[in-house]
């Protein structure tokens, strides 16, 4: 049997990530270059390409959402299924109440 010691509880190990290939001067230089280009108007950020890259990436990362999309389920279909489930539960509750408390 183990002896419980409540006074000297071990602290959990900490995760300390230090990147191997990190050059702070290079990162600061790149930030300054992008800032100057944005001020001069040479470099314009195109947010539309980011929107296209982000759209759908969450669904691709989850299996249950991917399956429902492949089956053709949309939000209206899910709402219909949820409402049908609530209706069935309400009918069962009414029958239960009528049979046992009436």
């Amino acid at each position: 049997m183990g002896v419980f010691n409540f006074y000297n509880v071990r602290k959990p190990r900490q995760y300390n990530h230090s990147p191997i290939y990190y050059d702070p001067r290079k990162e600061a230089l790149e930030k300054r270059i992008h800032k100057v280009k944005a001020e001069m108007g040479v470099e314009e950020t195109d947010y539309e390409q980011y929107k296209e890259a982000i759209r759908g990436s969450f669904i691709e990362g989850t299996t249950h959402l991917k399956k429902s999309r492949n089956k053709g389920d949309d939000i209206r279909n899910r709402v219909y299924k949820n409402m049908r489930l609530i209706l069935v539960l309400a009918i069962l509750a009414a029958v239960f109440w009528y049979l046992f408390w009436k």
Side-chain angles (χ1 to χ4, degrees), residues 84-98:
R84 187 173 57 188
L85 176 67
I86 291 171
L87 180 65
V88 167
L89 289 176
I91 291 171
L92 286 175
V95 168
F96 181 77
W97 177 80
Y98 182 76

Side-chain angles (χ1 to χ4, degrees), residues 58-72:
F58 181 73
I59 292 176
E60 291 300 321
T62 56
T63 56
H64 65 283
L65 291 176
K66 198 185 311 184
K67 285 180 186 176
S68 68
R69 188 191 64 194
N70 290 340
K71 284 194 298 185

Side-chain angles (χ1 to χ4, degrees), residues 6-49:
F6 292 108
Y7 298 107
N8 293 328
V9 179
R10 288 180 48 187
K11 293 181 182 177
R13 290 187 285 175
Q14 298 292 321
Y15 178 74
N16 186 12
H17 174 70
S18 57
I20 298 172
Y21 305 108
Y22 176 68
D23 189 8
R25 288 181 16 205
K26 182 179 178 183
E27 186 175 334
L29 177 66
E30 288 176 358
K31 284 183 182 178
R32 286 194 318 227
I33 289 173
H34 286 296
K35 185 177 178 182
V36 169
K37 284 184 177 180
E39 287 176 358
M40 291 175 52
V42 175
E43 180 179 319
E44 294 182 15
T45 54
D46 185 20
Y47 295 113
E48 294 301 320
Q49 71 183 20

